[in-house]
Amino acid sequence: IIGIAAPRSFAAMECFSKEIIFWFFCFGVPMFMAYNGGATAATVDTIQKVGGWSPTGIGLLGAMDKIGITMSAGIWGYVLQHVPSKVLLSAGLLVNAVSVAVFAVTQNGYLMYTTKMLIGFTEGLQWVWAPLWVARWADEEKLPLWINLSGCVAAGVGNGVGMLLAGSSTANGLPYAFPFQVEAAVLLLLLLLMVMVPAEKMAIT
């Protein structure tokens, strides 16, 4: 049994190269988390009409994920020193995906505020972990490029894609929930992939 398990473990290690981990989890995950902000901005008018939101209330809803990111910034760095990265990232990605899915189907204002806050709070973990992972695993030539791609490029591309898909889908008569359901589905697929990655490959120390 040990002899069989060892080659399988080695095969898993080989399958998930640092390049694959970078593109899926340092670029792909933050991109689709940032997508949420663009999708919200593009659907805010539709959400306001459906839910009868006040201007102040809808503005606060759009800001809740940013508040969550800001609140979490000082927390995740400390927690990452004491909890294995894979465990923390998997839990954060699950909470984020579920929160997006709930946000898509509910019209309860308090629940929408809560899910938006959780989306931002767990997104903050990704922004803290990614540069730390890149700093450990990237070679000297790739380090500047990977830092840039996993930060402002992932955020910009995700926000733009979210705005494009959400704006075009609602303009064509689809419910505002659709772009968020797409996001939740993609995040869950990335979570399934993350579960298969050896824990040491996700470590920052």
Side-chain angles (χ1 to χ4, degrees), residues 35 38-39 42-43 46 161-182:
Y35 164 110
T43 56
T46 307
V161 171
M163 192 170 291
L164 176 63
L165 180 59
S168 62
S169 62
T170 52
N172 284 286
L174 289 173
Y176 77 82
F178 174 73
F180 298 105
Q181 291 167 342
V182 170

Side-chain angles (χ1 to χ4, degrees), residues 5-6 38 48 58 76 79 102 107 111 116-117 171 195:
Q48 187 173 17
I58 199 69
W76 292 127
V79 177
V102 172
Q107 292 181 20
L111 190 53
K116 253 308 195 179
M117 174 76 80
V195 169

Side-chain angles (χ1 to χ4, degrees), residues 91-131:
L93 188 49
L94 176 61
V95 171
N96 192 284
V98 171
S99 297
V100 172
V102 172
F103 181 85
V105 298
T106 186
Q107 292 181 20
N108 180 283
Y110 294 109
L111 190 53
M112 292 179 83
Y113 280 134
T114 302
T115 54
K116 253 308 195 179
M117 174 76 80
L118 288 172
I119 288 166
F121 199 83
T122 50
E123 184 180 342
L125 168 61
Q126 190 67 37
W127 296 122
V128 173
W129 170 80

Side-chain angles (χ1 to χ4, degrees), residues 8-18 137 198-201:
R8 285 181 180 174
S9 177
F10 180 75
M13 292 280 287
E14 289 297 305
C15 177
F16 291 101
S17 66
K18 62 183 180 182
W137 292 92
E200 54 268 34
K201 288 277 190 173

